[in-house]
Amino acid sequence: MSSSRLPGFYQKSIEERQVALAKWAGLSSDEVQILAGAMGLNAESADHMVENAVGTFGLPLGIATNFLVNGRDVLVPMAIEEPSVVAGASYAARLAREGGGFVCSSSEPLMISQIQILDLAEPHAARLDVLANKARLMEIARDVDPMLVRAGGGPRDIEARVVESALGPMLIVHIIVDCRDAMGANAVNTMAERLRPALEDVTHGRVNLRILSNLADRRVARAKVVLPLAALSFESDGVHYEGANVRDRIVEAWAFAAADPYRAATHNKGIMNGVDAVVIATGNDWRAIEAGAHAYAARSGRYTSLSHWGADKNGNLVGTLEMPMAVGIIGGATKVHPAAQVALKLMGVTEARDLSEIIVAVGLAQNFAATRALATEGIQRGHMALHARQVAIAAGATGELIERVAAQLVAERHVRLDRAQALVAEQGKS
Ligand code: MEV
């Protein structure tokens, strides 16, 4: 496997990048065209995916370079409209290589499906009745998806809780299902629906909702990164930032997020910038991932940071991230969307768990890039160049004029639409 360290990749033209990528990952010209958007999801497929389809909606697809995940070089496709995210992830991944890259792991891919049972004379007794009938209930759930069972997955356990609610106690049954390489929503929702008659029979209650939980806390992925102090020091605008100082400022930034939900929401948003971009590029359900992430961040009863940052005994900066990661590589849009298939091929992903581990590595990288910038030179400096290009385009610049107008806006340190329009009018003539 070649190195994902591709110096100068960002300076190449889009066509040169496509050629380099095809060579790197052994992509066919059709696969490159799919990533390029020329042969991506078409309206006909879209028509099979949603109601009242009229077409498809595009997003920029960038490649994050430099990632080393469990010793393996990975190029990561990121679908995102926001400037600086792909650059931030690539930059963080480059520094992370100096500490050995990202060390990732994940739990078994266990999803939870919930069944709400009401109108119970004695909910605690009904709970024990459910548990006493576990074998029979598991059998019914197992019969729902023989393919999943053949693939080594299927129901693993049944749990029951009495939950106090505004309407009094209710019994909530959880089916724990190993979804292997599927996200699993369809399988676990069907299992919950199929169990209804048996559960009403066992409990003498009334089943209401049957649906998975997006708080997928049995399906988590984890990433750890060690950043040596030498990798942290840098120069910007003539200012030298020393490694130990950068480390301490990042840890201070993390402590702020860990203590204050107002900051934690933004800190976690930075993590999700990386996470969602890969989730989207692989055709996965980013709303499910978002819901799971924020519920997990609030699991103690107080919303807090999803990541942790501190110093190890040698003084290196150490970051960790653990979060639910219910992603699949088979079924749904992952299968239908041509670009999602190529994205998986590009990353050399063969199991859903591999994908979940790469995604948390990117989330942690993104979190590092954002907090490092915020805690040192500020976020606007890095944003400005890319933002300036968008403003130049919005002002009507095309072709070479985009870069010229953007460079001028940055040099003037005023990235404003009215100024960009004036520059387009002025320079467009020459
Ligand atoms: C912007 O999309 C993300 C940040 O706000 C994240 C953060 O504040 O940590 C820069």
Side-chain angles (χ1 to χ4, degrees), residues 115-262:
I115 301 157
Q116 178 193 26
I117 310 177
L118 303 146
D119 301 345
L120 296 162
E122 215 305 295
H124 290 274
R127 175 175 172 268
L128 295 199
D129 293 339
V130 168
L131 296 179
N133 283 276
K134 200 185 264 190
R136 177 183 152 205
L137 297 168
M138 292 276 283
E139 203 49 52
I140 297 169
R142 215 184 330 267
D143 285 347
V144 167
D145 197 335
M147 289 253 293
L148 180 61
V149 174
R150 261 203 304 279
R156 290 284 183 262
D157 200 4
I158 289 193
E159 297 170 353
R161 293 179 300 136
V162 175
V163 171
E164 289 302 329
S165 81
L167 303 176
M170 46 183 76
L171 182 62
I172 307 300
V173 173
H174 283 184
I175 324 168
I176 314 294
V177 186
D178 185 327
C179 294
R180 292 288 95 197
D181 288 325
M183 188 276 188
N186 278 326
V188 303
N189 290 341
T190 313
M191 283 179 203
E193 295 201 348
R194 209 60 82 69
L195 279 174
R196 175 192 206 150
L199 281 169
E200 289 189 335
D201 181 45
V202 165
T203 61
H204 305 292
R206 174 175 59 85
V207 167
N208 191 28
L209 298 198
R210 292 137 290 154
I211 186 73
L212 63 75
S213 170
N214 286 126
L215 176 49
D217 60 358
R218 310 281 179 94
R219 191 176 190 173
V220 296
R222 314 169 192 103
K224 183 181 108 171
V225 69
V226 177
L227 292 142
L229 293 187
L232 292 178
S233 49
F234 69 104
E235 301 277 338
S236 172
D237 282 343
V239 181
H240 176 75
Y241 293 91
E242 195 247 322
N245 186 246
V246 175
R247 175 200 63 203
D248 293 345
R249 289 173 182 225
I250 291 174
V251 175
E252 286 164 5
W254 163 76
F256 177 13
D260 177 11
Y262 285 93

Side-chain angles (χ1 to χ4, degrees), residues 11-30:
Q11 286 161 324
K12 292 186 193 300
S13 71
I14 204 161
E15 291 80 14
E16 287 170 339
R17 286 188 206 120
Q18 289 165 356
V19 170
L21 200 63
K23 191 158 163 251
W24 196 90
L27 303 180
S28 69
S29 57
D30 275 6

Side-chain angles (χ1 to χ4, degrees), residues 99-119:
F102 296 86
V103 178
C104 299
S105 62
S106 52
S107 67
E108 294 296 316
L110 299 178
M111 291 299 280
I112 299 168
S113 197
Q114 298 196 289
I115 301 157
Q116 178 193 26
I117 310 177
L118 303 146
D119 301 345

Side-chain angles (χ1 to χ4, degrees), residues 82 85 263 266-267 269-271 273 367 370-371 374 379 383:
E82 184 174 330
V85 173
R263 173 58 204 151
T266 325
H267 178 95
K269 193 274 185 180
I271 293 173
N273 274 345
N367 185 216
T371 45
L374 288 167
I379 205 82
H383 267 162

Side-chain angles (χ1 to χ4, degrees), residues 40-65:
L41 189 71
N42 58 30
E44 195 190 324
S45 302
D47 200 22
H48 297 300
M49 292 169 81
V50 300
E51 306 71 35
N52 301 350
V54 291
T56 61
F57 178 89
L59 273 178
L61 183 70
I63 304 294
T65 56

